[in-house]
Amino acid sequence: MPADLHIHTSFSDGLLSPEDVVNKAHEAGLTIIAITDHDTVDGLPRAMAEGSRIGIKVIPGIEFTTDLPGTEVHILGYYIDYKADWLLELLKRIRNDRINRIYKIVEKLKKLGINVDVNEILKLACLPAGRVDIGSVGRPHIARVLLQKGIVNSIQEAFNKYLDYNAPAYVPHFKLTPSEAVRTVRRAGGIPVYAHPAVSKKDDIIPELIKEGLAGIEVYYSKHSDSQVKHYLSLAKKYGLLFTGGSDFHGFGTMRDVTLGDIRMSDNDVEKLEGYKENEARKTNVR
Ligand code: AMP
Ligand code: ZN
Ligand code: FE
Ligand code: FE
């Protein structure tokens, strides 16, 4: 039965609530999904509860944004202990700095003659149904406000003109390094996977990350070309790593032209991931 192991919800920059994601996944014929919000696990309990209710398996996941000079590397974590206090503290620290950074970006936009209200941006990252908790707020939320106000004609234009790494309103936020993210996923009992490596174009960090505990590569990804898939499949084999796949679905009408289940992993491949997890857990118990 097919699985999609890279999905965002409205708890980060996805558009759909966890419940809606799970139901849409079911409609798309998926039987296993992983929720992998940026720097937050807060949507997981709701997604997992809905999954149990309608009979679709939800793997608890996360996607860490991490920093290297000049590029971003994203690290996925599967089967993490999403209730661990220390993890929740760390994620809160990262998300608080994401909020601080929104104020700084809004300041920069102001100097460029563009006035946007911070609260409007934060509101987009608030959880639905009138809750006041702030989700994991990021540049896509700013891009949405710029688009709504007619300041840009597309999300892509907002990034190109203002928000991209080299654009005038860019501001970084506190991030882990890739190695720290791999160690964090391990400490939380999860399986660390290098997300969409062809997007980061940093193959040379893989050996170092393996030393830290990297267990897999996201080989199948909506933006990976056939030759990139082939390349990363061979790298996974070379290093003895697991491989995963996912759509990176963010919602209909986001700039990513992908839909749930665009990438489908087989049961067999998900079982390998589960087998790995069980094996690691056994090793820990023996120690
Ligand atoms: P943030 O985590 O706030 O820095 O935002 C990063 C997110 O913005 C990524 O996960 C993408 O979804 C989106 N993003 C980054 N760069 C671009 C780009 N050039 N065009 C469109 N979306 C982008
Ligand atoms: Zn995103
Ligand atoms: Fe990513
Ligand atoms: Fe993602």
Side-chain angles (χ1 to χ4, degrees):
M1 295 293 162
D4 182 342
L5 299 188
H6 190 153
I7 300 174
H8 295 271
T9 76
S10 54
F11 276 70
S12 63
D13 54 358
L15 297 183
L16 301 183
S17 69
E19 290 81 5
D20 285 350
V21 163
V22 171
N23 281 284
K24 296 278 178 208
H26 188 55
E27 283 167 26
L30 296 165
T31 52
I32 305 174
I33 60 170
I35 299 295
T36 54
D37 274 317
H38 302 286
D39 302 329
T40 181
V41 292
D42 293 347
L44 293 175
R46 278 174 50 182
M48 292 169 89
E50 186 66 2
S52 310
R53 197 181 71 78
I54 68 167
I56 168 168
K57 184 167 171 175
V58 179
I59 297 172
I62 190 165
E63 183 176 22
F64 278 104
T65 304
T66 78
D67 227 357
L68 277 183
T71 185
E72 261 183 24
V73 167
H74 293 182
I75 301 291
L76 293 158
Y78 293 111
Y79 300 102
I80 46 167
D81 174 7
Y82 58 94
K83 293 180 181 159
D85 286 342
W86 65 268
L87 177 66
L88 297 176
E89 275 307 308
L90 170 67
L91 294 175
K92 209 190 288 172
R93 185 175 157 212
I94 295 173
R95 290 203 305 275
N96 275 336
D97 200 54
R98 279 180 167 279
I99 297 171
N100 292 336
R101 167 229 213 183
I102 298 294
Y103 284 87
K104 292 181 196 160
I105 294 179
V106 166
E107 260 322 291
K108 281 197 162 182
L109 286 171
K110 205 168 165 185
K111 289 198 179 119
L112 295 166
I114 294 162
N115 283 304
V116 283
D117 181 359
V118 168
N119 290 319
E120 237 179 288
I121 299 161
L122 296 182
K123 217 161 57 187
L124 282 185
C126 283
L127 312 180
R131 285 180 55 184
V132 291
D133 338 27
I134 300 288
S136 189
V137 66
R139 287 177 289 162
H141 299 104
I142 305 175
R144 272 153 66 188
V145 170
L146 292 174
L147 181 60
Q148 275 169 18
K149 287 187 157 318
I151 294 164
V152 293
N153 292 315
S154 68
I155 297 285
Q156 194 56 54
E157 187 187 338
F159 273 90
N160 291 348
K161 271 196 177 157
Y162 305 111
L163 303 171
D164 253 346
Y165 193 73
N166 293 314
Y170 179 79
V171 176
H173 64 88
F174 165 67
K175 300 181 190 76
L176 303 178
T177 65
S179 295
E180 284 168 345
V182 168
R183 285 201 292 271
T184 300
V185 171
R186 280 284 178 181
R187 187 177 163 204
I191 305 179
V193 172
Y194 186 175
H196 44 68
V199 176
S200 297
K201 299 186 179 66
K202 280 272 171 196
D203 289 4
D204 52 337
I205 63 169
I206 294 174
E208 183 61 36
L209 295 184
I210 290 173
K211 280 189 209 146
E212 304 289 355
L214 186 77
I217 305 183
E218 188 178 45
V219 167
Y220 299 99
Y221 183 69
S222 34
K223 285 193 198 149
H224 283 184
S225 67
D226 290 349
S227 65
Q228 287 168 334
V229 166
K230 229 168 124 187
H231 169 67
Y232 286 105
L233 209 48
S234 76
L235 273 192
K237 276 200 189 116
K238 173 177 159 191
Y239 291 116
L241 294 168
L242 296 161
F243 56 87
T244 67
S247 63
D248 207 2
F249 176 74
H250 278 70
F252 310 101
T254 55
M255 72 290 171
R256 294 149 185 279
D257 202 13
V258 295
T259 193
L260 276 168
D262 266 3
I263 299 289
R264 291 170 186 247
M265 284 184 72
S266 70
D267 262 7
N268 192 22
D269 291 335
V270 178
E271 273 164 22
K272 280 187 203 155
L273 209 62
E274 276 172 14
Y276 183 92
K277 162 78 188 154
E278 281 159 19
N279 219 4
E280 289 298 296
R282 242 192 320 271
K283 273 198 245 167
T284 313
N285 287 340
V286 170
R287 253 180 232 145

